[in-house]
Amino acid sequence: MKNYYESLGVPDTATEAEIKHAYRQLALRLHPDRTPNPDAQALFLEVQEAYDILGDRHRRLAYELLRQRAQEQARQARAASPYDAPPLPANAPAVTAAVAERRRRQQATAAKVRHYARYARTFNWLMVVFGLSLALDWALPLRRYPDELVVRKEVIFVSESRANPRIAYIIRTPNTHFRLADDVSGLLHEGDRVTVWRSPLWRLVPYVQPGPWPQTYIYLTTIYSILALWPGMLLLVAAVGLLPRRSDEFRLNTAVVAGLLLPIVVYMLAAS
């Protein structure tokens, strides 16, 4: 903002008479007809502009209000300026070095997270495909194998509890195999005939029908029964990790959680 008081060479407390006298003196000295100075016309116009503002009391009052507002804004800007901050302590170089070292470590950590986030995204995609394959296998119609011959019945598990001993068997037929608990193991023996229903993709057997008992169904515990919560959690966590506008750290964390869930799901799938 122009300082018209400096243009006229008077203080900002000058009276109307002082402003008028200063203007007359400058006008006589700077008038283009009285001086050969090539800049005289520009200076004369500046003095004329200053007098037009300060020579009128109403325009001077408005100018003072605008000038005060500009000075207040300048003070506020200086107060917010980092150059007006308190001086650094005597150990400023050490403090600056510590801050720089911490910032360097943060940048290195961010670079590592960004690097591993690419692998995390790929892993999440694989987990989503794996979870969707389980969901598709559950949704597709089961394949029926009638009159399957039980070719082998093997003991695969014996509990060590004396109070409640348990035994599990693996039943093998020409086209399928499945686990059988001891509470229903007496319904099937080697050489018996059985009808088996098997999933099309992962070849899981949800239930069978012994040949001698056509109205009896043996329902087996698979990953699609009460254990379906675990593959569902795996699919959900991996899918959330693929959502757009997520940070690299978020993608990495979801991949870690999915990696912890994967062994549980694989174990249940192998035991089905």
Side-chain angles (χ1 to χ4, degrees):
M1 187 175 184
K2 291 184 179 180
N3 191 336
Y4 292 130
Y5 293 103
E6 290 184 356
S7 299
L8 294 178
V10 297
D12 54 4
T13 58
T15 63
E16 294 183 6
E18 292 173 342
I19 291 174
K20 187 175 183 179
H21 177 73
Y23 167 69
R24 288 180 176 177
Q25 294 295 325
L26 291 172
L28 290 175
R29 183 164 55 88
L30 296 175
H31 196 281
D33 295 339
R34 294 178 176 269
T35 175
N37 188 350
D39 299 329
Q41 184 176 2
L43 295 174
F44 178 78
L45 293 177
E46 183 177 346
V47 169
Q48 183 65 47
E49 179 183 357
Y51 181 71
D52 289 342
I53 298 297
L54 300 181
D56 186 284
R57 65 176 62 183
H58 299 290
R59 300 182 71 181
R60 182 181 181 183
L61 178 61
Y63 170 72
E64 286 290 344
L65 294 176
L66 293 174
R67 188 163 173 259
Q68 291 177 3
R69 182 181 301 175
Q71 292 174 350
E72 181 65 24
Q73 292 176 351
R75 284 194 295 269
Q76 293 177 356
R78 286 195 300 270
S81 174
Y83 298 104
D84 295 333
L88 293 174
N91 61 342
V95 173
T96 304
V99 172
E101 178 63 19
R102 184 168 64 251
R103 185 174 302 174
R104 186 191 65 79
R105 292 180 180 179
Q106 291 175 349
Q107 292 174 351
T109 302
K112 289 182 179 179
V113 171
R114 188 164 51 250
H115 172 73
Y116 288 113
R118 296 195 297 267
Y119 299 100
R121 180 179 176 84
T122 302
F123 180 76
N124 282 334
W125 269 116
L126 294 175
M127 293 303 98
V128 167
V129 173
F130 175 57
L132 290 177
S133 70
L134 291 174
L136 182 62
D137 189 44
W138 171 81
L140 290 175
L142 298 174
R143 184 172 180 180
R144 180 172 177 267
Y145 292 89
D147 200 29
E148 284 282 291
L149 176 66
V150 177
V151 296
R152 185 175 300 176
K153 181 180 180 180
E154 302 174 358
V155 177
I156 59 172
F157 171 77
V158 179
S159 69
E160 299 179 358
S161 174
R162 295 182 180 180
N164 186 23
R166 308 285 292 180
I167 300 177
Y169 298 88
I170 184 74
I171 305 297
R172 299 186 183 277
T173 69
N175 294 295
T176 65
H177 66 274
F178 52 90
R179 294 168 62 99
L180 196 65
D182 62 348
D183 53 352
V184 293
S185 62
L187 299 178
L188 289 178
H189 301 87
E190 291 185 4
D192 289 346
R193 296 289 177 172
V194 63
T195 301
V196 183
W197 284 263
R198 192 189 72 183
S199 63
L201 298 180
W202 287 98
R203 300 173 177 268
L204 304 181
V205 178
Y207 55 89
V208 298
Q209 183 183 34
W213 299 277
Q215 302 302 323
T216 302
Y217 291 87
I218 302 176
Y219 292 91
L220 308 176
T221 301
T222 67
I223 199 172
Y224 300 142
S225 55
I226 60 175
L227 305 177
L229 173 65
W230 295 99
M233 291 176 56
L234 174 63
L235 177 60
L236 177 62
V237 170
V240 169
L242 295 176
L243 292 177
R245 295 187 295 274
R246 291 296 187 272
S247 64
D248 294 333
E249 185 177 1
F250 180 84
R251 299 186 189 281
L252 189 58
N253 290 336
T254 54
V256 170
V257 176
L260 295 176
L261 292 173
L262 179 61
I264 301 176
V265 176
V266 171
Y267 172 77
M268 292 188 301
L269 187 61
S272 297

